[in-house]
């Protein structure tokens, strides 16, 4: 944290070096917050709020990921009673093509799970649609597969197809059985 602060404020540092210093602060505060340091969590939220409106798109984006985490926590802890701010964060997370990585995928998945678990099914479905839109056609096979796996988890049509497929293999069933199962 101190090294990041020093680098971010170093007069002779380049813009990229200063940016790296700020990112180091975000990462250090995130880790310290994750270890239960309340002061670090407060400092992280304050820094993320400040950077969310930064001119640098990378810093602003990283800050939005952090703020989404705080929104999820606030809903879980009862500090918020509606998922609107989570959906707003999710919707604004994918402004640029390079904003589709595993960290964003994991945060949106976490938001979906929390909203669904707390009974906000409609909001969870909206977030699922955003996830599908942003990742299903990804050129990165790992991202695409991870998103697809999450989205079809518990899907009844897929379950029907898998059961019919297994039955067809076991008892020499017909391909029409598989097609029928997939349509259920």
């Amino acid at each position: 944290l101190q090294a990041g602060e020093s680098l971010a404020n170093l007069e002779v540092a380049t813009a990229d070096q200063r940016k790296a210093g700020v990112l180091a602060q975000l990462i250090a505060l995130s880790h310290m917050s994750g270890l239960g340091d309340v002061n670090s969590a407060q400092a992280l939220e304050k820094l993320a709020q400040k950077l969310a409106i930064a001119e640098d798109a990378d810093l602003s984006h990283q800050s939005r990921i952090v703020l989404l985490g705080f929104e999820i926590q606030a809903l879980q802890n009862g500090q918020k009673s509606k998922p609107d701010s989570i959906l707003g964060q999710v919707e604004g997370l994918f402004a640029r093509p390079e904003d589709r990585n595993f960290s964003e995928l994991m945060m949106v998945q976490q938001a979906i799970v929390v909203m669904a678990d707390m009974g906000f099914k409609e909001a969870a479905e909206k977030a699922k649609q955003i996830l599908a839109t942003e990742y299903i056609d990804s050129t990165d096979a790992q991202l695409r597969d991870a998103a697809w796996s999450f989205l079809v988890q518990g899907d009844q049509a897929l379950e029907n197809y898998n059961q019919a497929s297994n039955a067809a293999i076991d008892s020499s069933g017909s391909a029409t059985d598989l097609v029928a199962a997939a349509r259920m």
Side-chain angles (χ1 to χ4, degrees):
L1 178 62
Q2 290 173 344
E5 289 172 348
S6 295
L7 184 57
N9 296 314
L10 190 63
E11 288 182 31
V12 295
T14 66
D16 285 342
Q17 290 169 331
R18 284 193 188 104
K19 180 177 168 178
V22 173
L23 286 173
Q25 291 174 65
L26 277 174
I27 293 168
L29 288 169
S30 291
H31 289 294
M32 291 164 45
S33 174
L35 293 171
D37 185 342
V38 175
N39 291 333
S40 293
Q42 291 169 342
L44 175 62
E45 187 172 18
K46 185 177 178 181
L47 179 60
Q49 287 171 342
K50 176 183 168 187
L51 293 175
I53 56 172
E55 289 182 26
D56 186 284
D58 293 329
L59 291 177
S60 178
H61 178 72
Q62 292 303 317
S63 296
R64 281 195 209 101
I65 294 171
V66 170
L67 291 173
L68 176 57
F70 279 110
E71 292 293 337
I72 293 167
Q73 276 185 327
L75 186 65
Q76 280 181 305
N77 296 336
Q79 296 165 315
K80 300 228 173 169
S81 60
K82 294 182 180 182
D84 300 344
S85 54
I86 291 175
L87 276 176
Q89 289 286 352
V90 169
E91 289 169 349
L93 205 54
F94 302 103
R96 308 172 302 163
E98 61 267 28
D99 294 340
R100 287 149 188 86
N101 299 297
F102 277 102
S103 57
E104 293 85 353
L105 176 67
M106 291 181 346
M107 287 303 294
V108 174
Q109 287 176 340
Q110 182 182 1
I112 292 166
V113 168
V114 167
M115 289 186 295
D117 287 350
M118 295 189 72
F120 299 108
K121 304 290 186 202
E122 187 177 319
E125 284 301 317
K126 285 181 184 178
K128 274 187 173 183
Q129 289 301 315
I130 294 168
L131 184 80
T133 300
E134 300 301 338
Y135 285 96
I136 291 302
D137 293 329
S138 175
T139 56
D140 184 323
Q142 289 181 318
L143 281 172
R144 185 180 59 245
D145 293 348
W148 183 84
S149 293
F150 178 80
L151 291 168
V152 299
Q153 194 174 41
D155 183 76
Q156 190 59 49
L158 182 62
E159 194 62 37
N160 293 344
Y161 178 81
N162 285 336
Q163 287 176 359
S165 175
N166 290 336
I169 292 168
D170 293 343
S171 65
S172 299
S174 70
T176 56
D177 294 339
L178 293 177
V179 172
R183 289 186 177 147
M184 288 184 176

